[in-house]
Amino acid sequence: MFSNKKSHKYIEKMKDGTIKQLNPFTGDEILTIPGRSNRPINKGKVEIKDIEQKEVEDYCAFCSKNYIMTPPEKSRIVFKNNKYKEYHNLKATELNNSVAEFRRIPNLFEIISYDYWVKNYNYKIPKHLKTIKEEYIANKEGFEHVINIVDGKLKMSGLSQSEIAKTSDKKKLGLANGFFAGSHELIIGKRHFIENGKTTLDKSSSGELNETNHFHYVDFTIKAMKDIYDNNRHVKFVSVFQNWLAPAGASFDHLHKQLVAIDSFGLKNKKRAEVLRKKPNIFNEILSYAIDENLIIAENNTAIAHVAFGYLEPTICVTSKSKNKHPWLLSNKELKDFSDLLHA
């Protein structure tokens, strides 16, 4: 006998236009984001061509010569005089004063948009981020940079030049709030191609970084994750992934990680939590099994890598052995151990 009672919303339209779909059998949740499909799409066709080596690369919008082609930068790491130094909230006029080993920038086409947090959670820009925005657009170069990036996004969204011209600067600056207070960010590597690369196959990957550089790459990403949690109390989980090549759907074949804030823990994490409540020792059990079955690949003082099981594709799991529960609480030594196995 059928019942008309609705126990779940299998399709739900959020206030910002995002559509959530819930699979009634698996519990998988699919999000369709308004405007997300307007981003540049990498078709995934690999063409092998000779490349021209350049002292300052300009092969894509993420390259060192094109800092002004991305939304306002949040921070960067510079290697100078044999030291790594972080710079935060550089002005538009300062972008080319140094060459960044890694840059942290907003994603122009967010998966979970700034509007999503505003319209569904009444999110408001924290005062310190509002100040950063105001200071950035206070000078001519910063103002023009923001307006140009918004114009480019509107053009990719299908607006005509006349429609863009009719859009007021005030509205455009409002559309730029996500550049300063959004919760989808990128950590971009310095190089597009490896040093002395010959063809388009010679792309710079995380494996091409040295161990110290990779440590700063991971550390810089974790600091960005912590900032996202701190700046938006509605965030439940920050997903970090590195899908930088065309087959993974990345817009540019330039090394980068993505950090995406989500307003739920997700099905997999919920299931992990349920298992953990019943079996508090489950992670130790997994590692014990890996040891017994000779599935350990590498280990150092505070991290371990093993062949993972239960996945459709061949998978390696790298686990920190630290007692600290959050990545940003790891000591430098613990994080270095984790980074080294991830890098290897």
Side-chain angles (χ1 to χ4, degrees):
M1 184 175 180
F2 293 101
S3 170
N4 290 326
K5 183 180 178 182
K6 294 182 180 180
S7 57
H8 291 91
K9 286 186 177 180
Y10 294 118
I11 300 177
E12 181 180 7
K13 187 170 184 178
M14 308 297 284
K15 292 178 182 177
D16 69 309
T18 294
I19 296 174
K20 286 185 175 182
Q21 299 180 57
L22 182 69
N23 186 307
F25 297 105
T26 66
D28 289 341
E29 191 173 70
I30 307 299
L31 274 67
T32 304
I33 314 299
R36 172 74 176 160
S37 60
N38 296 323
R39 73 191 192 283
I41 300 296
N42 195 329
K43 299 298 183 182
K45 185 178 180 180
V46 178
E47 292 186 32
I48 304 174
K49 297 180 180 178
D50 292 336
I51 58 172
E52 176 189 352
Q53 278 290 326
K54 300 177 181 180
E55 186 175 349
V56 182
E57 294 181 313
D58 63 353
Y59 304 105
C60 76
F62 289 171
C63 285
S64 299
K65 197 170 183 178
N66 296 328
Y67 291 155
I68 204 70
M69 291 175 65
T70 61
E73 182 180 301
K74 296 192 175 186
S75 54
R76 71 171 53 179
I77 292 181
V78 175
F79 183 68
K80 189 175 182 180
N81 299 326
N82 291 320
K83 291 182 179 179
Y84 289 87
K85 185 175 180 179
E86 289 188 29
Y87 294 85
H88 300 273
N89 305 312
L90 293 177
K91 304 297 186 290
T93 53
E94 301 171 318
L95 292 177
N96 293 314
N97 290 351
S98 60
V99 177
E101 296 295 319
F102 303 102
R103 302 174 71 221
R104 175 187 169 195
I105 68 166
N107 192 314
L108 185 59
F109 288 96
E110 301 160 287
I111 292 178
I112 304 292
S113 70
Y114 171 81
D115 273 356
Y116 181 92
W117 300 106
V118 171
K119 293 178 179 178
N120 295 305
Y121 291 96
N122 197 29
Y123 174 71
K124 292 181 173 58
I125 302 181
K127 287 183 179 179
H128 68 284
L129 296 182
K130 188 175 182 181
T131 299
I132 289 170
K133 176 188 175 182
E134 290 171 348
E135 290 177 350
Y136 193 87
I137 63 175
N139 61 62
K140 179 175 178 289
E141 291 81 3
F143 177 84
E144 290 180 349
H145 178 208
V146 169
I147 294 297
N148 288 337
I149 295 295
V150 172
D151 283 352
K153 182 174 181 176
L154 292 175
K155 183 178 179 180
M156 284 185 276
S157 299
L159 269 68
S160 66
Q161 289 294 345
S162 62
E163 288 173 318
I164 294 171
K166 290 176 183 177
T167 305
S168 68
D169 287 345
K170 182 179 180 180
K171 183 172 182 179
K172 289 177 182 178
L173 291 176
L175 293 172
N177 282 339
F179 299 164
F180 300 90
S183 300
H184 183 171
E185 300 182 356
L186 305 176
I187 306 296
I188 299 173
K190 174 183 176 181
R191 298 197 62 87
H192 192 107
F193 295 109
I194 61 173
E195 194 171 352
N196 300 319
K198 304 297 183 184
T199 74
T200 48
L201 290 178
D202 295 324
K203 295 180 178 66
S204 180
S205 68
S206 56
E208 298 294 339
L209 305 174
N210 63 43
E211 288 84 354
T212 303
N213 226 7
H214 189 266
F215 164 78
H216 285 283
Y217 185 31
V218 175
D219 182 48
F220 196 47
T221 302
I222 289 172
K223 288 175 180 175
M225 182 198 304
K226 177 68 163 56
D227 267 0
I228 291 173
Y229 280 119
D230 289 345
N231 290 326
N232 187 343
R233 65 184 179 86
H234 306 292
V235 170
K236 293 283 199 307
F237 187 76
V238 177
S239 176
V240 180
F241 51 95
Q242 185 171 292
N243 66 332
W244 62 283
L245 288 175
S251 298
F252 300 114
D253 282 346
H254 188 123
L255 178 62
H256 65 278
K257 290 185 187 292
Q258 297 199 49
L259 299 94
V260 181
I262 309 169
D263 58 347
S264 69
F265 292 108
L267 178 65
K268 289 181 180 179
N269 283 324
K270 288 177 182 176
K271 286 185 175 179
R272 286 190 184 104
E274 289 172 6
V275 173
L276 192 59
R277 288 188 191 100
K278 297 174 183 176
K279 297 182 177 181
N281 202 42
I282 184 64
F283 288 108
N284 287 330
E285 289 179 17
I286 290 170
L287 288 176
S288 294
Y289 179 84
I291 292 169
D292 291 342
E293 298 296 322
N294 294 318
L295 299 177
I296 302 300
I297 297 171
E299 184 177 8
N300 53 33
N301 288 334
T302 66
I304 188 167
H306 65 87
V307 176
F309 31 88
Y311 294 85
L312 290 175
E313 301 293 339
T315 303
I316 296 173
C317 181
V318 180
T319 304
S320 172
K321 294 187 282 185
S322 171
K323 293 180 180 179
N324 293 307
K325 64 178 182 177
H326 295 306
W328 50 86
L329 296 178
L330 298 181
S331 68
N332 280 344
K333 177 63 171 66
E334 290 171 333
L335 184 56
K336 181 67 164 58
D337 282 353
F338 176 82
S339 171
D340 284 349
L341 289 191
L342 188 64
H343 181 253

